[in-house]
Every structure is written in structure tokens, then in C-alpha cells.
Amino acid sequence: MNPEWQAVWLTFKLALSTTLILLVLGTPLAWWLARSVSTWKELVGSLVTLPLVLPPTVLGFYLLIALGPEGPIGGLTESLGIGPLAFTFPGLVVGSVIYSLPFVVQPIRNAFEALGDRPLEVAATLRSGPIERFFRIALPLARPGFLSGAILGFAHTVGEFGVVLMIGGNIPGETRVLSVAIYDHVEALEWRQAHWLSGGMVLFGFAVVLIMSLLEKRLRRIGA
Amino acid sequence: MSLRLFLAVVMLAWATAPLAGEARVAVAANFTLAMRALAPRFEQASGHRLVVSTGSTGKLYAQILHGAPYDVFLAADRERPRLLEKAGRASGRFTYAIGRLALWARQSEDPQAQLRSGSFRRLAIANPKTAPYGKAAIQVLRRLGLYPAVAKRLVIGENVGQARQFVSTGNAELGLVALAQVLDTTPDHVWPIPPMLHDPVRQDAVLLARGRRHPAAVAFLEFLRSEAARRIIRQQGYATAGNHPRDRP
């Protein structure tokens, strides 16, 4: 595969895996954040939001140490026989999941909060159990939140740069994602390639924002 | 203060910026430590001040081409300073240091054996496209006949500083870095690459167009040619012109 398409495919793969993992992990987390009355709630909520305000270099720096053989994550993967995660695709997924966490959890949490208690109480009077209520009432009603969470998480991971630059090691087909490939081309004065990739990113970004606003409009119309 | 006076003061500050006696120096990442040793000597002796930015030679070159406000460029190769001179953006090119590669292992006592036996997962090098030390590292691997075997295990640092950092955080077991970067580490963990395995990394300095107006920039380059500075540069793990085994001017 030509190196540019390789970078595109790799970025797509990274964004997709990150989004899927975040939807699976983020849904119970968002549910708890939305419904719990625990005193820990705001503490955990702030932790989830933290990657939003931290410079990517802070995440990259700590990840580099944590993933190394003497770090907590590196020690764990080493003892499991997986080996260190830095400079590997799974390592990038770990980094991206942390980096994009607030972008997925926050919209889902908002959607759960907007539900209120009433639909769930009504369902309870109709003898629906808690699990059934979650899957048949809460999930379908919170669909707009899931949609924007997934789109934002995906797009944000595509746009990731600093963390990948620090823990990736620029390996073609493994960690050389689009943003790093562009940076590399610009540094090497290969502007033709840089133009192709950057132009593509602009179109992609524009499409994402447009789709987001169109979807939001449609969903609001359905909700009304 | 009236608004007009305030504006006049701001304009004046603008017009004289950067302050006289200050030079902005763009330095190739491998020379960071040496620069740290040189700068205070120069500043003490001359009263000028240096503002140092580091990065890969390729990146700094691209930035300079696009008007980055540097006065002096200490590159890690001869090619980019030459191109800047050709483009009329720099002058007074000379070789200030001749660099050498070293293989650095974080744990092994015999890095050379570790490299040859292939008993490692990752070998960190600088980006061969933008960093001369990365290019030299590829040369070494090819001349040792190891390149095909290790190509898949290379991790590429954005510059040689990042390559070193990959090893020091333990994320790569081996690194081909500048000898100057690992002089202060345990000597057992360092294999200085024999000079015949790669072309000497001749590092050229130039005065950039912006620096012609700044006495501090001109003075710094003059200092860099002095025997005092050359001695410091040699202590930092480089050869200087006329002191390299393969140096035939």
C-alpha cells in the first residue's frame, strides 16, 4: 500500500477502535455520572474532563513513562507477556482512549441527564426491570447523545497529534498516523504530499462539522 | 500617561526589538548540551545574551525559509546551511563541529553485541529524512549489514534528542544517538561508532540575514571559531575542523 493511504487507513483504524472502546466503557460511566448521587461523582467527572484542558504533551509525557518497562502499565503488559506498548498500535489506542474520553462521555452524560426520572418511573410502574429500562427506554432516548459522542470522539482522535508524536515513534503502518505524516512531509519540505493530506483533512473536518449540525437539527425535529 | 505617549513608547519598544545585544540562535538538537556549555561562557565574556531554540535541522531549516526570527543557525549538516546561502538568506558558512554517532544501551554492558545478536525489541534513531544523525544511523546499519534485519524494529524520533529520550525512558533498549549526548552516562553502556562506519557528521554554522544587523550574532559566530570555544566543543564529544581522523580539508 502506498504510504499516504497507509497513514489514512491507520488513522481510520485508530479512530474507529478508540470510538468503539469509548462507547463501551463510556456508556456505564456516563450513566453513573448522570444518575448517581455519590459524593465522588463530581470528582470522577472532573477526572473524565481533565484531558480536555491538559496539553497533549502532559499526557504524552506521563504515558511515555507509564508505558515504559518500569511504569505501571508497562510493568503490567510485560508480566502479561505482551511487551511494552510504546511505539505500538495498541499503545496509541490506550493514549487515544484517554485523550478522547471527555468528547464521548460528556454528550452521553448530558443526554442521560436530559432524560429525567419520569420515563424511567413510568416504565417501572409497567413492571419493567432496571436492565430492561436501561436498554429499552434510556438508550433509545439518549440516541442523539451517543451519535454526537461517537462523531466527536472519532473526529477528535483523527485530529490527534501531540500524544502520538510523543509515544508513537513514527513507524509506517503501525504508528505513523495522518497528522504525523503531514508534519513529517512539511519538515522534509515535501509539500505536494503535505498539501494532499492536509487538504483531505480540511474536507474531512468540514464534513464532520456539517453532518453534526444537520443531524442535530433532524433529531431536534424528531424530538419536538 | 496619555494614550499618544503610551503608543510612542510601544512603537519605540517595537522598533528596537530585539534588544541590542541579544541573538537568537537556532541549534540542531544534538548540539543542545554543548550549547549549554558554550552559551554562559560567551555571555559572560561579551555581555551579549543568547536565546536558544532547538529542533531537528530539517525543521529549523523549513522555519528559517519561512521567516523564523533567528540570527544564527547551527545546523547538524552542511547541506541546509549551503542551501540557505544559495538562497541569499545566510552567509559566512563554516564547520563548527564534527559529530560522531554512538550506540547507547540503557541496560546492556555490551551494546555492540546486543545490536549484532538482535536481542532487543526497539532501536531508536533520529528521523533520517530531517536529521543528519538519523541519516548517519542508517549508514551505520547498512555498513554493518544489519539494516534489513533491524528495519522493522526502528523507532523514529523527531530529532536525535527524542531518540535519546526514547532510550532513557526505557521504551527502546538501544539507540543510535550523537556521542555528545551520552558522554555523561555510564561508559560501559556506550559503543562509540568507529569513524569508518559513517561519514563524519559535519555541522555548519551560518549567519542568517536577520543576524547581520545584530552585533551579538556576529560576535557569537566569532566566538564559535575561537580556540576557547573549540576546546569546549571537543570536550563535549565532537571533533573540530582539523582535529578529525578523517578530516582532509
Side-chain angles (χ1 to χ4, degrees), chain B residues 7-229:
Chain B
L7 283 178
V9 170
V10 169
M11 300 281 265
L12 195 67
W14 203 274
T16 54
L19 297 168
E22 183 181 290
R24 296 196 187 175
V25 190
V27 179
N30 78 85
F31 205 67
T32 309
L33 290 175
M35 194 62 196
R36 221 169 274 164
L38 287 167
R41 289 287 195 89
F42 170 73
E43 289 177 336
Q44 256 169 30
S46 68
H48 293 307
R49 224 171 67 80
L50 297 178
V51 181
V52 176
S53 309
T54 57
S56 76
T57 295
K59 177 167 67 188
L60 293 171
Y61 169 70
Q63 289 178 344
I64 290 165
L65 270 188
H66 292 93
Y70 301 126
D71 301 310
V72 173
F73 181 27
L74 303 188
D77 68 355
R78 316 193 75 186
E79 187 59 14
R80 276 135 178 135
R82 195 183 62 76
L83 288 173
L84 286 172
E85 247 185 14
K86 227 173 101 186
R89 292 179 176 251
S91 56
R93 185 163 62 94
F94 71 96
T95 302
Y96 66 95
I98 302 167
R100 210 173 140 183
L101 272 180
L103 180 69
W104 183 42
R106 194 155 163 275
Q107 266 157 6
S108 158
E109 306 268 289
D110 191 350
Q112 186 186 349
Q114 195 182 5
L115 176 69
R116 288 183 188 272
S117 66
S119 56
F120 61 93
R121 273 183 291 225
R122 303 285 189 197
L123 168 63
I125 64 169
N127 190 340
K129 267 183 3 188
T130 54
Y133 281 88
K135 210 166 136 189
I138 299 288
Q139 232 173 25
V140 170
L141 293 174
R142 285 198 193 282
R143 289 194 189 164
L144 288 172
L146 293 171
Y147 183 74
V150 303
K152 287 236 172 267
R153 286 189 253 177
L154 293 179
V155 284
I156 313 292
E158 199 242 315
N159 56 55
V160 78
Q162 199 187 20
R164 184 194 191 283
Q165 168 235 308
F166 284 160
V167 182
S168 56
T169 54
N171 285 300
E173 290 91 340
L174 290 173
L176 274 167
V177 297
L179 179 62
Q181 293 175 299
V182 290
L183 275 188
D184 58 344
T185 60
T186 323
D188 288 350
H189 295 191
V190 176
W191 177 42
I193 304 291
M196 61 279 240
L197 284 179
H198 66 86
D199 298 336
V201 185
R202 289 170 170 284
Q203 310 193 182
D204 279 6
V206 274
L207 180 67
L208 299 172
R210 188 181 178 278
R212 284 175 206 148
R213 294 181 280 134
H214 297 142
V218 179
F220 176 64
L221 283 173
E222 212 165 284
F223 166 75
L224 211 55
R225 289 171 187 268
S226 72
E227 193 42 47

Side-chain angles (χ1 to χ4, degrees), chain A residues 100-120:
Chain A
S100 296
L101 185 68
F103 289 82
V104 177
V105 171
Q106 202 55 46
I108 302 178
R109 177 185 177 176
N110 292 345
F112 282 150
E113 275 172 352
L115 280 183
D117 295 332
R118 192 151 168 75
L120 299 170

Side-chain angles (χ1 to χ4, degrees), chain A:
Chain A
M1 204 180 343
N2 125 346
E4 317 304 336
W5 283 113
Q6 200 177 36
V8 172
W9 168 237
L10 187 69
T11 309
F12 175 77
K13 227 170 56 175
L14 178 66
L16 191 68
S17 346
T18 303
T19 311
L20 290 178
I21 291 173
L22 276 174
L23 285 176
V24 171
L25 296 179
T27 305
L29 186 59
W31 179 255
W32 183 76
L33 285 172
R35 317 284 310 177
S36 166
V37 285
S38 160
T39 40
W40 295 94
K41 189 170 105 169
E42 287 319 316
L43 212 72
V44 175
S46 307
L47 268 179
V48 169
T49 316
L50 202 55
L52 199 70
V53 294
L54 285 179
T57 38
V58 173
L59 291 181
F61 171 57
Y62 283 137
L63 275 171
L64 200 62
I65 293 175
L67 296 178
E70 273 138 51
I73 304 177
L76 182 75
T77 52
E78 195 87 56
S79 61
L80 292 175
I82 308 170
L85 284 183
F87 319 126
T88 64
F89 182 75
L92 288 197
V93 174
V94 171
S96 308
V97 163
I98 297 173
Y99 179 68
S100 296
L101 185 68
F103 289 82
V104 177
V105 171
Q106 202 55 46
I108 302 178
R109 177 185 177 176
N110 292 345
F112 282 150
E113 275 172 352
L115 280 183
D117 295 332
R118 192 151 168 75
L120 299 170
E121 281 168 7
V122 171
T125 60
L126 296 171
R127 298 193 170 196
S128 146
I131 294 177
E132 196 187 353
R133 266 177 293 173
F134 176 76
F135 281 103
R136 293 192 56 183
I137 311 289
L139 276 192
L141 283 176
R143 212 176 50 186
F146 278 94
L147 205 61
S148 42
I151 294 177
L152 277 178
F154 188 91
H156 194 242
T157 308
V158 168
E160 185 178 351
F161 173 64
V163 176
V164 182
L165 191 72
M166 287 182 78
I167 65 167
N170 199 353
I171 302 168
E174 176 90 23
T175 59
R176 191 173 191 260
V177 297
L178 262 175
S179 55
V180 173
I182 292 172
Y183 182 69
D184 221 40
H185 284 315
V186 175
E187 272 205 5
L189 301 177
E190 295 161 351
W191 286 17
R192 214 171 57 87
Q193 290 96 318
H195 269 307
W196 272 111
L197 295 178
S198 304
M201 287 291 270
V202 170
L203 288 180
F204 169 77
F206 183 75
V208 167
V209 177
L210 189 68
I211 290 170
M212 278 285 287
S213 43
L214 289 179
L215 274 176
E216 203 169 277
K217 217 167 146 190
R218 222 189 103 196
L219 285 167
R220 210 179 301 138
R221 215 176 322 136
I222 293 169

